[in-house]
Amino acid sequence: MTPTPDTNQPSPAELLKASSPTLAGTIAQTLADPQVDRFSDDDNQFLKFHGVYQQRDRDVRGADKKFILMVRCRIPGGVVTAAQYLACDDLATRYANNTLRVTSRQSLQFHGVVKSGLRTVVKGINDVLLTTLAACGDNSRNVMAPPSPATNGLARLVHQHARQAAAVMSTRTPAYHSIWIEGVPLNLDAPENKNFVDPLYGKTYLPRKFKIAFAIPPLNDVDIFTNCCGFIAIADAGGQLLGYNLIAGGGMGRTHGNAATFPRMADVIGFLPADKAVDVAKAALTLHRDFSGRTDRKHARLKYVLADRGVAWFRGELERRLGFKLGEARPFKFEKQGDAFGWHRQADGKLFLGLFVETGRIKDKDGWRMKSALRRVVEKFQPEIRLTPANNILLANMDPARQDEITALFAEHGVRIENQGSHLRRASMACVSLPTCGLGLAESERCLPGLITRLEALLAETGLGDQEIAIRMTGCPNGCARPYLAEIGFVGKAPGKYQVYLGGNEASTRLNRLWKDTVKDADIVAEMRPVLARYAKERQSAERFGDWVARVLWNEQPAAI
Ligand code: SF4
């Protein structure tokens, strides 16, 4: 792509999309050419819509620098069958880096795929009726829904609406099937391809991504307020779904040094009948399509439309497009986020097992062979797999009579079911960052486990013991692990240096605030020591760290940004 000198002009990404609405580019030709080891810059942009990122291994320098690919699935609600999981495990073993990454939007990612294996991976994913289409790119991303096993009518209905929304939002390009399933270039001379325009997205798709989530209070296990468009289930006392409260305009990403970009919590817009959820999601997406800017990608998110034009405008325009009015939002209350670990009984009498997957990376390492353990358990017991927004896994619909056998099988691989880590560790999240993410400014996934060990020691030293504090780390301000909601958020600024944010809450309904603009990794414990010592002394009964920060620190230190 060539730079656009005039900032009032559409961004280069917009011009590129308009030039090839099928998103075919020359992907198929490059795939077929064994002499070429990389995709062109333009094709790299198109690949994102197909769920693929071309990356470099940033650990490798000089002439040995290799191109690798990240492949992301789109799995509405994070629900995967045993057969689908096993297929993904197999593809990761044979064609990726022998790990699977549970993403913060309930999906699975493959890292370290080389070009010669790319089509096999994408086709293999499709062969088990999963897809990578629209997992990345300027379209609606994976639709999130509560990960807890959907064994009652309310949860089943909410998941059904999430799946319907995902189906309606899917892009329609014929290039995906042609390239990845049939293995041939799209015939661009065929009239239906030559003049292709996506019926929902148009010629230029969205200005940037669009995120939808569903939640069932009181559990905010999808971090609903970080989404462009969220549906909060409102049920009667008997658990019957009455409808949804619509929220809109949330988002995490920002850019260092650019005050026009900021994390934002979604606004509550109004109430809608349950059977209108898909129509409303579609209409909200069209507002993003039509009103978010197309000149500056850093500012092209629905949250800025809400920030600039306000809730009343948004609701009015939405109602005009829908042709009906929303009701007033109904009362709701979120109490906590996060996952249930260990064994739990489902409403139908079966069991589910919550597994903590540190930083979301399913792998085998010394003394903790989670990847092999999962493979054995899934093969033998055929559970439903539920991927959680906190990067963990729930194995659902397990027979209570097999509980001890399953526990023993995990133990054989060094995976404990009881006490899967300290409360601090289990409440932690990190994005991928280095060495694969091209945007990473500092380590994240490879740094956080060691930092948690040091902070565990600090909690013990300050008398806080096994206190749960939600800690999230990202390698850059885009905020994939949603650090701006954490009680302690670390955001990469430069190698070994982080911004530190404090003050999120247990329910993930409050943004934290910048506390220190640059702290070296090696200094984090020393910086945190006096704050945690004060918290230990001043907290009121069971007051959480984030709540103490909001009550005490924020009154002493006004928001830095
Ligand atoms: Fe990459 Fe930044 Fe997302 Fe981390 S937060 S995965 S560094 S884009």
Side-chain angles (χ1 to χ4, degrees), residues 110-370:
F110 301 77
H111 291 265
V113 178
V114 294
K115 202 198 109 207
S116 58
L118 180 60
R119 181 169 168 251
T120 309
V121 171
V122 177
K123 182 165 186 307
I125 290 166
N126 280 271
D127 285 346
V128 289
L129 305 182
L130 293 174
T131 186
T132 65
L133 178 62
C136 320
D138 298 342
N139 35 226
S140 175
R141 301 290 184 88
N142 199 34
V143 177
M144 294 164 82
S148 304
T151 50
N152 63 33
L154 173 62
R156 269 197 290 270
L157 212 46
V158 169
H159 265 262
Q160 185 185 316
H161 291 145
R163 283 194 303 274
Q164 287 170 350
V168 165
M169 302 294 167
S170 185
T171 51
R172 304 283 178 229
T173 170
Y176 186 82
H177 195 269
S178 173
I179 295 169
W180 306 107
I181 312 302
E182 295 168 10
V184 294
L186 186 69
N187 178 6
L188 292 172
D189 292 328
E192 68 274 19
N193 298 333
K194 205 173 186 173
N195 304 315
F196 175 78
V197 176
D198 187 280
L200 174 61
Y201 292 97
K203 264 183 94 171
T204 49
Y205 294 82
L206 299 179
R208 273 195 64 202
K209 59 192 167 186
F210 189 74
K211 296 181 174 177
I212 301 171
F214 288 72
I216 305 176
L219 206 48
N220 188 12
D221 45 12
V222 297
D223 278 344
I224 188 99
F225 287 96
T226 64
N227 286 273
C228 304
C229 175
F231 294 88
I232 298 172
I234 304 295
D236 64 17
Q240 294 295 313
L241 182 63
L242 301 175
Y244 293 102
N245 279 348
L246 171 70
I247 63 170
M252 290 282 93
R254 45 175 282 276
T255 304
H256 286 313
N258 182 347
T261 65
F262 44 83
R264 187 175 193 276
M265 303 289 275
D267 297 303
V268 178
I269 307 295
F271 177 82
L272 55 122
D275 64 354
K276 296 289 186 210
V278 174
D279 292 342
V280 171
K282 205 169 156 184
L285 179 140
T286 67
L287 263 75
H288 172 45
R289 183 192 67 194
D290 299 343
F291 290 99
S292 295
R294 289 184 183 262
T295 56
D296 176 6
R297 284 180 66 78
K298 290 190 189 320
H299 206 257
R301 296 292 304 275
L302 186 65
K303 63 180 174 178
Y304 300 118
V305 175
L306 263 296
D308 292 345
R309 296 173 181 252
V311 169
W313 174 89
F314 181 88
R315 181 170 167 165
E317 182 61 25
L318 188 76
E319 289 173 341
R320 196 182 67 72
R321 291 177 181 221
L322 286 166
F324 65 86
K325 294 210 174 294
L326 301 179
E328 289 314 303
R330 307 278 176 96
F332 64 94
K333 187 164 185 243
F334 286 114
E335 291 171 359
K336 76 186 294 297
Q337 48 87 28
D339 298 322
F341 298 110
W343 288 105
H344 297 271
R345 193 163 289 275
Q346 299 175 180
D348 60 2
K350 292 186 179 165
L351 300 181
F352 79 88
L353 174 60
L355 294 167
F356 172 56
V357 183
E358 189 159 33
T359 70
R361 184 70 66 175
I362 303 170
K363 63 182 177 184
D364 285 350
K365 63 176 182 179
D366 292 345
W368 188 82
R369 293 187 298 123
M370 177 63 96

Side-chain angles (χ1 to χ4, degrees), residues 53 55 58 72 101 104 109 111 209 430-434 436-445 473-484 491-492:
Y53 265 76
Q55 302 176 322
R58 296 175 64 188
R72 184 183 296 160
R101 183 55 152 81
S104 55
Q109 250 173 224
H111 291 265
K209 59 192 167 186
C431 75
V432 174
S433 195
L434 300 169
T436 53
C437 176
L439 300 174
L441 302 170
E443 293 282 353
S444 182
E445 178 181 329
M473 174 177 270
T474 57
C476 87
N478 280 337
C480 294
R482 303 182 287 270
Y484 309 111
V491 175

